[in-house]
Amino acid sequence: MSAKENLWAKRFEDVLAIDEIKRRADRPARPLLCLEKDTIEHACFRIESELREVFVTTSRAAEILQKFIEHAYSHSLSRYSDVPKFLGQCYDGLADIEPYFPHILTGPAGTGKTQLGQALIRILPLASTIQPDTYHPAIPLIAVRHVAIKTTKSLPGVLQTLVRSAHTSGVSGSRSAASIDACARWQYICGTSLLIADELQFISQSSNASTRIAQVLLGLSYLLVPTVFIGNYSLIHRLRKRPQEERQRLLGMPLILLLPDLPSSADWASVVKEYQCAVPGVYQFDFVEKRHELWSLCAGLKRELIKLLIVTYRRCRRDGKTLVCWEDIESSYRSPDFFDQRTDVEELIAQSIDGAKGRDDLRCPIPTNLSLENEYLQALKDIRSQNLAEAVMRDAMTKAERMAVKREQVAPPSPSMRQPKRQVISQGRVKKLSVKDLQENAARHRSQLPK
């Protein structure tokens, strides 16, 4: 390795383009077979495990991933410009290096923030070794470090997970500053260019306590490595109550929002299509054709959709069925098994309608004049309008009309009709039906019934 060669930065050059990011990040579905031969609970376990592993790199996810990778690349370019500078800072310390303001990735629970962090790890180069010159042994070369705060709830415990066992004693003392300095030095030696800290809201189980959270986050922000904190809305609400000097350090960068994909977007269609590929032949309706309806039952939250699919499958198996129809999905949504999730979905819809403060874990902690947030709120409002319109139409129908509509919903489309229908729907909804349109359609349907 020559003195001027920068292998620390070179390792990121192949993963800067969006196409390569998507190729490495995507985790396609692996079809599950013979689920009917499993016990009910094991089949549900297989479905949940597989759906949680599926990752579709949506346009928003690719944008966020590229931002983090570019930040890591910039760090390597500036902090490892040549071998003499690197060795000098290894021996002399890092006192002249200014810490970064951390990036905070937030959004409603269940949008896939943790999955995005795992995708980032898949994209970046694997750990290896590097020998700076002939006088020094090979040292680790680590692009990204990941810490799950869910099980490690104190700063010393977090710091110990970031160093090898031989250096643990250097970060286990009572002096926080010395522990942070030792850990920062080790990260620099290893070439760590990105640190991901996830599940931060679990540091404290108290709904009001935020001191421990702030302590851990401040400690990590002084490791002199670009840092990504991943947490739900509730984390940000807690941090906003901290003293000004802590807020300036922890919230110094704009929050990065990861919101659900819109129901009419190609990204949402790709997600539900991949979910169906994981369970071929189990659900007797096309996920893409029903993508708007599925979105309305989970508010676009992937975790809630997975829960609904599993609840429905379990209920069907208990009833002696191995196939799931759309009516089963609607029934499961209204069932006690989906009560908590349904409460969250309806709370999100209610907050979008009346602008009420609502729960901190569901309320965006920053002003909602951003286009991303406004689009999501409008999609939630559309759900409310659609539900009201459908309720008006049902109330206007006679018993015979309701039975006729039910038969039409249950009957599967003929093979000759399936493909044209898929082609038409995949272009998106051109016009949303009003209440008047639905009432006129109901009256027209009534007039066509046999006397």
Side-chain angles (χ1 to χ4, degrees), residues 109-277:
T111 52
K113 299 183 294 297
T114 295
Q115 280 192 314
L116 189 143
Q118 294 169 347
L120 187 57
I121 295 173
R122 289 198 299 271
I123 295 169
L124 294 178
L126 297 175
S128 60
T129 59
I130 185 173
Q131 187 169 2
D133 59 24
T134 56
Y135 302 102
H136 293 83
I139 56 178
L141 186 62
I142 303 172
V144 58
R145 299 297 304 268
H146 177 268
V147 178
I149 309 294
K150 186 174 182 179
T151 56
T152 309
K153 300 181 180 181
S154 66
L155 180 58
V158 173
L159 295 178
Q160 287 183 30
T161 66
L162 293 173
V163 297
R164 64 181 183 182
S165 57
H167 288 70
T168 300
S169 59
V171 300
S172 59
S174 58
R175 295 177 56 204
S176 296
S179 298
I180 293 172
D181 289 344
C183 188
R185 181 173 178 272
W186 179 243
Q187 302 313 309
Y188 182 78
I189 292 173
C190 294
T192 305
S193 295
L194 193 66
L195 172 64
I196 303 172
D198 196 4
E199 303 286 9
L200 296 169
Q201 63 272 7
F202 292 102
I203 292 178
S204 175
Q205 299 301 321
S206 170
S207 59
N208 298 318
S210 58
T211 301
R212 182 177 295 179
I213 293 176
Q215 180 187 31
V216 172
L217 298 191
L218 285 170
L220 291 177
S221 70
Y222 282 102
L223 294 183
L224 310 180
V225 174
T227 306
V228 177
F229 296 151
I230 301 177
N232 295 339
Y233 284 160
S234 55
L235 169 71
I236 313 303
H237 286 294
R238 293 183 186 182
L239 294 180
R240 290 175 69 89
K241 298 176 183 178
R242 299 299 300 167
Q244 181 185 18
E245 61 272 16
E246 293 182 7
R247 296 200 311 272
Q248 288 179 343
R249 163 55 52 188
L250 297 176
L251 302 176
M253 295 289 288
L255 297 180
I256 300 175
L257 283 177
L258 181 63
L259 295 171
D261 305 306
L262 299 179
S264 58
S265 68
D267 288 331
W268 178 249
S270 298
V271 169
V272 297
K273 179 180 179 181
E274 206 62 38
Y275 283 176
Q276 187 154 43
C277 289

Side-chain angles (χ1 to χ4, degrees), residues 299-311:
L301 301 174
K302 300 180 181 72
R303 183 186 301 166
E304 311 296 36
L305 175 56
I306 292 172
K307 175 70 174 180
L308 179 60
L309 295 174
I310 295 170
V311 164

